[in-house]
Amino acid sequence: HLGFFSLVVGVDTEASDFFGSFVQDPETGKYVWNDGPLLLAFRHNVPLYVDEIFLCDTRVLSATLYPAMDGRTTMTVPMNPSLGSIDIPDGFYVIAAGNPNVPGASYSEALRSRMNHQIEVTTDWDLAKSLGVPPDVVEVSRALDEERAEGLLTWSPQLRDLLEYRDAVGTYGQAFAVADLMGKTPFDDRDVVGGALSKMTGKPVRALRMGRQCKRRR
């Protein structure tokens, strides 16, 4: 196995999502044990990638990932003692991603101290242009992001928003795409973002909304 195993976690993630669980065989009706991604990563000696890790309950991480990240050589699985002592490969490591600013996120000291390298991933504006995002909206977004970094805004368009804008322009035109982008903007930031987009287009910008009722043809 040359890749890695992965798991997307959240507030409802349990230890069994990491370790595995007993699953009923539809043919025999018996329950058999299925390894979870953490044990599979051990057995194949590959990394484990955990997405949205800041949303996972710290108590779950303490019972699953933390022991494997503390230099231990073996681990046991409480829900299946018959597995015995499971070897943790030398050099095993965890790759994790998440947004520490989303509601409910917990970037605890315990987690921070276990991650050897911590990299902030920001939007690559040149990449956005190379992917076909119109240069004018890229420059507007870059300027808005600088204001966000200074604390003047809570939100600014990032790469995912710009790619959606690119697709909307290609399908429905700029007016629709700009209005759609305004709809993604938090209400507290709409005056500033709307002003920047209005300056870019030369027209007032409003978020998408329902139009008037169409008259029925007789």
Side-chain angles (χ1 to χ4, degrees):
H1 198 298
L2 301 178
F4 58 87
F5 287 95
S6 64
L7 177 65
V8 181
V9 299
V11 294
D12 57 348
T13 297
E14 300 177 349
S16 60
D17 294 313
F18 284 93
F19 287 134
S21 60
F22 286 97
V23 178
Q24 188 175 28
D25 187 321
E27 295 183 0
T28 65
K30 296 181 178 180
Y31 283 84
V32 294
W33 175 261
N34 275 7
D35 285 340
L38 179 59
L39 298 192
L40 289 172
F42 290 164
R43 299 191 191 284
H44 291 278
N45 195 13
V46 294
L48 176 67
Y49 171 64
V50 183
D51 199 10
E52 301 296 350
I53 194 169
F54 301 135
L55 298 178
C56 190
D57 192 316
T58 301
R59 292 169 295 183
V60 174
L61 295 177
S62 298
T64 56
L65 281 190
Y66 289 175
M69 300 171 71
D70 286 341
R72 305 184 194 185
T73 58
T74 61
M75 176 181 286
T76 58
V77 178
M79 58 276 295
N80 189 1
S82 67
L83 294 176
S85 181
I86 299 173
D87 291 333
I88 300 176
D90 183 35
F92 169 78
Y93 62 93
V94 174
I95 307 169
N99 186 343
N101 300 314
V102 299
S106 175
Y107 193 12
S108 67
E109 179 62 31
L111 177 59
R112 185 181 294 110
S113 67
R114 286 173 171 81
M115 304 303 294
N116 292 347
H117 310 292
Q118 298 166 47
I119 304 170
E120 181 181 4
V121 181
T122 58
T123 291
D124 185 329
W125 307 109
D126 292 332
L127 173 62
K129 291 180 182 178
S130 70
L131 292 174
V133 179
D136 54 357
V137 77
V138 172
E139 294 307 319
V140 167
S141 299
R142 188 202 300 266
L144 290 171
D145 196 58
E146 292 176 357
E147 295 189 46
R148 181 197 59 78
E150 295 173 1
L152 303 177
L153 291 171
T154 64
W155 179 89
S156 61
Q158 301 298 319
L159 184 59
R160 179 165 48 198
D161 309 302
L162 295 178
L163 293 178
E164 293 171 353
Y165 176 92
R166 175 203 63 189
D167 295 341
V169 168
T171 305
Y172 305 109
Q174 185 191 53
F176 178 95
V178 171
D180 191 36
L181 188 57
M182 271 295 292
K184 303 176 188 295
T185 305
F187 289 105
D188 292 342
D189 296 327
R190 285 193 176 184
D191 287 344
V192 177
V193 175
L197 293 175
S198 295
K199 185 176 180 180
M200 180 188 78
T201 62
K203 300 177 182 178
V205 175
R206 296 193 305 174
L208 288 176
R209 63 189 63 192
M210 296 297 293
R212 296 179 180 179
Q213 181 179 5
C214 296
K215 294 182 179 180
R216 178 183 294 181
R217 295 182 178 179
R218 295 182 180 275

